[in-house]
C-alpha cells in the first residue's frame, strides 16, 4: 500500500537515492502525511501533492526544507498546520477558498516571494491568530497570548494579494518581511498599496 511504500522509502527520497519522479507515481492514493514528514529535507526542491487526497498539511511538515521552491497543493486541502513551511524555501503560495485554517507561523522565515489569497475567499481577518479562525467565516476568535507571526521574517516577500473582504491585518502578520506591494483583489478596481 501507499503508506507502507512511503514509510519504507522515506529516507531514500530525502537523500536523493530515489528520484522524486518515482514519488509522484505513488502519491495518488495518499490521504495524509505526518507531522514533520519532510522537516529538514534539504534536497527536496519541489513536491506535487495535487493528485493526493490530503486535507491538511500538518505541523512542521516541510519546516526547514530550505531547497523546497514549489509545492502543488491538492484541491482537497482545508488547512495548513503550525510552522508547516517555516524556514522552507517555498517561493509562492495561493490560499484557495477551500483552505479555511492556517496555523501560526505557517510561513515564518520562509522564502515566500508571492502570497495570493483567492479573490472569492470569504476571510475578513488575516493575522496573528489564524490557527483559531473559525472555518466557516474566518472571523477572529479571542486569541491566546503571544505572537503568531503568520508570514513574519519572509524577507523575500514582494507581493501579497488579498481579497477585498479582509478588513483587518493583525499585528506581526508581516513582521520583518520584505513586502513591497499589497494588492486588494477587487476585479472592478485596480487598487494597490505600496
Amino acid at each position: 500500500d501507499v503508506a507502507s511504500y512511503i514509510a519504507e522509502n522515506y529516507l531514500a527520497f530525502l537523500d536523493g537515492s530515489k528520484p522524486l519522479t518515482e514519488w509522484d507515481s505513488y502519491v495518488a492514493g495518499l490521504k495524509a502525511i505526518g507531522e514533520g514528514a519532510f522537516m529538514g529535507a534539504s534536497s527536496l526542491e519541489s513536491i506535487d501533492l495535487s493528485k493526493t487526497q490530503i486535507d491538511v498539511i500538518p505541523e512542521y511538515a516541510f519546516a526547514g526544507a530550505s531547497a523546497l521552491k514549489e509545492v502543488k497543493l491538492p484541491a482537497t486541502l482545508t488547512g495548513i498546520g503550525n510552522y508547516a513551511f517555516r524556514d522552507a524555501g517555498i517561493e509562492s503560495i495561493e490560499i484557495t477558498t477551500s483552505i479555511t485554517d492556517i496555523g501560526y507561523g505557517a510561513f515564518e522565515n520562509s522564502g515566500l516571494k508571492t502570497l495570493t489569497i483567492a479573490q472569492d475567499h470569504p476571510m475578513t481577518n488575516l493575522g496573528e491568530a489564524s490557527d483559531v479562525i473559525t472555518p466557516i467565516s474566518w472571523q477572529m476568535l479571542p486569541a491566546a497570548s503571544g505572537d503568531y507571526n503568520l508570514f513574519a521574517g519572509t524577507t523575500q516577500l514582494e507581493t501579497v494579494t488579498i481579497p477585498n473582504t479582509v478588513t483587518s491585518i493583525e499585528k506581526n502578520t508581516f513582521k520583518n518581511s520584505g513586502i513591497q506591494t499589497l494588492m486588494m483583489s477587487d476585479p472592478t478596481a485596480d487598487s494597490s498599496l505600496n
Side-chain angles (χ1 to χ4, degrees):
D1 78 351
V2 174
S4 297
Y5 174 83
I6 291 169
E8 292 167 12
N9 294 282
Y10 171 73
L11 292 176
F13 287 121
L14 293 184
D15 70 14
S17 61
K18 275 197 180 281
L20 286 176
T21 52
E22 189 173 323
W23 159 270
D24 291 339
S25 67
Y26 284 93
V27 297
L30 193 61
K31 295 181 181 173
I33 56 177
E35 290 181 12
F38 297 94
M39 184 165 55
S42 60
S43 63
L44 182 63
E45 296 178 2
S46 68
I47 190 165
D48 185 352
L49 299 172
S50 63
K51 295 179 178 96
T52 70
Q53 299 170 33
I54 294 171
D55 62 346
V56 173
I57 302 290
E59 292 185 10
Y60 297 98
F62 297 96
S66 56
L68 182 63
K69 302 291 184 218
E70 180 183 17
V71 176
K72 292 182 182 174
L73 300 173
T76 54
L77 192 69
T78 61
I80 299 172
N82 301 337
Y83 306 113
F85 294 98
R86 183 180 190 191
D87 297 318
I90 188 169
E91 293 182 343
S92 68
I93 192 80
E94 179 178 351
I95 306 300
T96 63
T97 55
S98 68
I99 300 172
T100 57
D101 188 30
I102 301 176
Y104 52 85
F107 299 94
E108 186 175 8
N109 299 323
S110 70
L112 203 59
K113 293 181 181 180
T114 305
L115 165 66
T116 304
I117 300 171
Q119 172 182 308
D120 55 345
H121 204 295
M123 80 165 57
T124 59
N125 192 314
L126 176 63
E128 66 176 314
S130 293
D131 62 313
V132 292
I133 292 175
T134 60
I136 295 173
S137 68
W138 283 67
Q139 294 289 325
M140 186 63 72
L141 297 175
S145 61
D147 294 330
Y148 292 92
N149 304 326
L150 188 57
F151 300 101
T154 52
T155 59
Q156 307 211 1
L157 185 62
E158 297 172 356
T159 305
V160 175
T161 304
I162 59 176
N164 285 342
T165 55
V166 172
T167 57
S168 65
I169 297 174
E170 296 298 320
K171 72 176 187 173
N172 298 332
T173 299
F174 297 103
K175 176 182 167 184
N176 298 327
S177 73
I179 190 170
Q180 296 174 14
T181 305
L182 175 64
M183 295 186 291
M184 302 302 280
S185 63
D186 181 350
T188 61
D190 184 16
S191 60
S192 66
L193 174 64
N194 291 314

